[in-house]
Structures are given as C-alpha cells and as structure tokens.
Amino acid sequence: MTTRRRILSLAAGSAAVAAAWPLAGQAQSGFPNKPVRMIVPYPPGGSVDPVARMVSEKLSALWGQQVIVDNRPGASTIIGTDAVAKAPADGYTLLFTASTHVSNPLLFNNLPYDSVKDFAPVSPFYLAEFVLVAHPSVKGNTLQELIAEVRANPNKLSYGSAGNGNANHMGMELFSMMTNTKMLHVPYKGGGPLLTDLLAGQIQLFLAVPVAVIPHLQSGKLKAFGTTAERRLTLMPNVPTFTEAGLPGFGMKSWLGFLAPAGTPAAIVNKVNADLGAVLAMPDVRDKLLGQGQVPYHLSPARFAEVMKTDTTEFARVIKTANIKIEQ
C-alpha cells in the first residue's frame, strides 16, 4: 500500500477509533493515575521535540496527570527506543518516534530489541512532508529540467541527508530509482552542517522538511522543484507537488507516531489512541502541524501495525536496490 492510499484510509481509521472511544475510556477509567513518561529519541530543539512538547501539554490537560518529555537521542534513535522496549508494559512509558523504527532493523545488525515483538503500536500522529530543493547553481527550474540535467551528468550532482538510512536519504534513492538517475550521496550528522554546505554550493540537492528551508527559498538562496504532499502546501503555494511536476507515485514520507512496550493492556493502548485523536482534533494543534507542512495522521492500533508492516517491505526494496549499508 502506498503512502497515498494510507492517507485515504485516515478518515476510516479515525472513525473506527472514535467509535471505540467511550469503551476505551470506560475500560481504563483509572488510567493514568500518575505521571506518564514520553521518550523522544531525538535531541531537544529539533523538528520533532516541539511537537512532542505540544502533545505532552495537551495530554497532561486531558488526563490531569503530567506527561513528561524525556529526550534520549543517539545511535539513530536506538538508545531511546531500547529504553522503551525494556520499560514496564503498563502504559506509563510511551515512545514518540519516526518511521526509522521500521527501517533500522533493515540497516543495523544486532539491535538490542525487536522492533515488532517488543512494541505495541498506538497511533501515528503526523506525516512529515518533504520538498526537493537545490542550490541556485543547479540548472533548470522545473522538475523535468532537473531530471534531464542529472541524467546528462551521472554522479556529478550530490545530495545531502541527515545520515545513512534516514528518510531523506531513502527518499532520494527512491527518486533515483524512479527517474533512472545517479547522484552522489553525502551523509551528515545534522541538519545544520548540511544546510551550511547546501547554501555554499558544496552539495547541490536536499530532500528537506519544508520549515527548514522556507526562509532560504524566500530569499532566493535555494530553489524548489516539488513536494511530496497530496496537494500544494499552504506555506509554499507556488511549489508544485511531485505529481503536478510529472513524477506521480513519489510519496516518500516519514510518519511520527506513538508506540508502547509490548504487553501493554489493549484497553490502555486504545485509550491513549483515542486521546491522541482528541488532541489531533484540536484546531490549534492541526493549525500548527499544517503550518509546518506536517499532515495530521491518526489510525487505530491495528491499522498502524499494518502501515509499519507495509513500510518495512517498501524500505527493504529501496535499501536492497540502492545497496544502502550502515558502517557499524
């Protein structure tokens, strides 16, 4: 199932959760009766952390209990994820992570946990859209002109990513597969150094999170060729979607969502899922997400498990075809 079809299933999944909402609340009326810890396997100050803190604030108000954000960055999210895998399965420890959760087992040997067996899917929360941007020195102003330029100069243009196996790395490898092009990959340890080199012309392309590059697009220091969104983003209305630009089916996105330790009671998982749905329904939350180019995304735990299974298959195809490897 493509990401496009997954988005179309959002309404149905959310409706099913809403129908089960009263039952979930009744079944676990005593939960939570103490603070809940939300482990975020990313550093403070990044694109994920502000959303985690917004959710923490909203859930704390709903539950009458503090939801504590616990940043555990490092090792491509493995450190924080492992802490949740080993936490008590009582609902008082949650993981807020990205789709790297399903790609990591394909890239790393001997993970200290099983990404499937050690976790209970709760719900995705949003989809992170991407925009393909380039240094102004790159020839062409449309996606088709860019593709022609890359084809004419194999392995001459380079693109940056936030690291091997990261969503923007695999997104660009998928782009190469779909367009029959070849580029050089330059992995970075963070978005700051990457943007510095991109603005200086040391690398030419980047599949970026929109909010990170909007100021540079507005100033003319970068130019954009297309977004992974279903329709044009309100924060960059002049940038076409990849479908509009002539590359339909290019839908590499990264979901951000919640998981709990395996064995967490289903009633608690369903309650947290329903309450996350309530948070996503809040106008200020939706406005903030959409204003950053992020699409609210809520599914039942069962549907979320299906999405992760499908993602594993899709990531495996890209990793195998592109021969992506992580040095360990």
Side-chain angles (χ1 to χ4, degrees):
M1 181 185 294
T2 64
T3 301
R4 182 182 303 276
R5 290 172 59 193
R6 283 187 231 137
I7 294 174
L8 292 176
S9 71
L10 172 59
S14 296
V17 171
W21 193 339
L23 179 59
Q26 293 166 9
Q28 280 297 325
S29 59
F31 175 86
N33 56 24
K34 63 180 181 179
V36 175
R37 182 173 54 145
M38 182 197 303
I39 291 184
V40 180
Y42 304 96
S47 61
V48 176
D49 190 62
V51 178
R53 294 183 185 279
M54 175 179 65
V55 177
S56 166
E57 178 183 342
K58 298 298 186 181
L59 287 180
S60 294
L62 279 177
W63 290 345
Q65 294 289 344
Q66 187 177 11
V67 177
I68 303 166
V69 174
D70 183 357
N71 296 94
R72 298 283 190 94
S76 297
T77 73
I78 294 172
I79 292 174
T81 303
D82 187 44
V84 176
K86 293 175 171 55
D90 55 9
Y92 289 93
T93 302
L94 300 172
L95 175 67
F96 185 46
T97 192
S99 49
T100 48
H101 183 79
V102 297
S103 61
N104 274 348
L106 304 169
L107 295 166
F108 292 92
N109 296 322
N110 303 316
L111 285 178
Y113 54 82
D114 187 303
S115 293
V116 177
K117 294 180 180 179
D118 290 341
F119 296 89
V122 178
S123 175
F125 195 74
Y126 70 86
L127 285 170
E129 302 289 0
F130 292 97
V131 57
L132 180 59
V133 298
H135 187 268
S137 62
V138 175
K139 294 181 181 179
N141 292 306
T142 69
L143 183 65
Q144 296 306 316
E145 290 172 347
L146 172 66
I147 292 172
E149 174 68 11
V150 179
R151 281 178 180 163
N153 298 280
N155 289 325
K156 293 294 179 64
L157 276 73
S158 60
Y159 70 88
S161 80
N164 285 312
N166 193 279
N168 42 34
H169 176 203
M170 286 198 276
M172 287 303 291
E173 290 296 343
L174 178 61
F175 178 84
S176 293
M177 290 163 56
M178 293 181 66
T179 59
N180 191 29
T181 55
K182 294 182 179 180
M183 293 172 281
L184 295 175
H185 171 223
V186 182
Y188 288 80
K189 292 184 178 181
L194 190 161
L195 275 174
T196 297
D197 280 1
L198 178 65
L199 293 169
Q202 298 300 314
I203 57 174
Q204 288 75 50
L205 297 160
F206 179 37
L207 191 63
V209 175
V211 291
V213 295
I214 286 177
H216 306 301
L217 292 172
Q218 293 173 338
S219 67
K221 294 180 180 179
L222 295 175
K223 57 184 177 180
F225 292 96
T227 75
T228 59
E230 296 297 305
R231 52 184 59 86
R232 294 198 182 197
L233 298 174
T234 55
L235 68 170
M236 45 178 60
N238 295 325
V239 180
T241 67
F242 277 104
T243 298
E244 291 176 320
L247 191 63
F250 181 71
M252 176 61 73
K253 296 181 176 69
S254 176
W255 51 254
L256 277 290
F258 289 86
L259 296 95
T264 300
I268 291 179
V269 169
N270 288 335
K271 174 173 173 53
V272 176
N273 176 285
D275 289 342
L276 287 170
V279 170
L280 269 178
M282 296 176 182
D284 59 328
V285 173
R286 297 182 67 84
D287 288 347
K288 181 170 184 178
L289 292 176
L290 293 171
Q292 297 180 153
Q294 299 160 341
V295 178
Y297 190 36
H298 185 232
L299 299 173
S300 70
R303 284 286 297 114
F304 189 23
E306 292 175 5
V307 165
M308 289 193 287
K309 184 176 180 180
T310 301
D311 281 349
T312 299
T313 300
E314 293 179 352
F315 283 138
R317 179 174 67 89
V318 174
I319 290 169
K320 181 178 180 180
T321 302
N323 193 31
I324 299 174
K325 295 180 180 179
I326 300 290
E327 294 183 6
Q328 301 180 56

